[in-house]
Amino acid sequence: MSLVNGLPAHVLLVHIVVVLVPLTALALVMAALWPRAARRLGPLLPLLALVALVSVPLTTQAGEWLERHVTDDALVRRHAELGDGLLPWVLGLFVLAAVVWWAARSAPAEPGHDGGTRWSALPVRIVVGVLSLAVAVGAVVDVYRIGDSGAKAAWHDTVSKTTTPAGLG
C-alpha cells in the first residue's frame, strides 16, 4: 500500500491500530478476568483480535513505503524500529483471545454443572488472567510509544514554539 486519495496509506491505517489494539486489550482483560464477559463477547473477542492482528502488518508495510519517501531522519528511523516490535504483542493478544473464547464456550454456564471443560478452574483462570493482563499492558504501552515517536517524527520541525501574529503565518 502506498497512497489512498493522495495521502500516505500509513497515516490512515495507523488509526485502525491505535483504536483496535487498546480496545482488544481491554476486551481481553475483561473476558479473562470475568467469565460472564467472555461468554457475552463470544466470538467477537477473537474476531476483534484477528482484525487488530491483520491491521498491524498492513500498517507497518505502508509505513515502510512512507519511510522510503520522506527525508532520512533519526526520529523516523526510531519510529520504524519501534513499529516493528508491535506484531508479537498483538499476536499474543490474538492467541490469548482465542484461548479465552474457547475456554468460555466450553465451560458450563451454570455454576455447579459438571459438563465440558472447567473454565472456572481457579489455577487456569489465574494464569490466563495474569498473561492476558501482561500482554494487554505491553501492547497498549507499545502502541503509545510508537505513536509518540511517530508524532515527534512528523511534527518535530513543523510547529513553532512561539505564536505567530494572526495573518502573518
Side-chain angles (χ1 to χ4, degrees):
M1 288 194 143
S2 55
L3 297 174
V4 175
N5 241 9
L7 292 173
H10 179 72
V11 175
L12 301 171
L13 291 171
V14 74
H15 290 86
I16 296 169
V17 172
V18 167
V19 170
L20 286 186
V21 171
L23 184 62
T24 301
L26 178 63
L28 173 62
V29 170
M30 272 185 21
L33 299 178
W34 188 23
R36 180 184 235 174
R39 285 190 297 275
R40 286 189 144 200
L41 284 169
L44 181 62
L45 178 62
L47 183 63
L48 184 65
L50 179 62
V51 174
L53 179 61
V54 169
S55 71
V56 170
L58 290 175
T59 304
T60 302
Q61 288 173 355
E64 288 170 356
W65 179 89
L66 182 58
E67 183 182 14
R68 292 188 302 270
H69 290 85
V70 297
T71 306
D72 187 36
D73 182 285
L75 293 173
V76 172
R77 286 191 304 274
R78 175 72 177 143
H79 174 64
E81 289 168 5
L82 287 171
D84 289 337
L86 183 59
L87 189 59
W89 289 111
V90 181
L91 180 60
L93 287 176
F94 173 71
V95 169
L96 286 164
V99 167
V100 168
W101 168 72
W102 180 82
R105 71 181 263 285
S106 63
E110 305 289 325
H113 181 268
D114 224 10
T117 305
R118 295 292 301 170
W119 170 238
S120 62
L122 193 57
V124 172
R125 284 191 51 213
I126 289 172
V127 169
V128 171
V130 168
L131 282 174
S132 295
L133 186 59
V135 170
V137 168
V140 170
V141 167
D142 210 29
V143 166
Y144 171 80
R145 291 177 63 223
I146 295 164
D148 182 60
S149 71
K152 286 177 181 169
W155 293 97
H156 75 281
D157 61 356
T158 60
V159 177
S160 173
K161 293 189 189 308
T162 60
T163 58
T164 58
L168 298 177

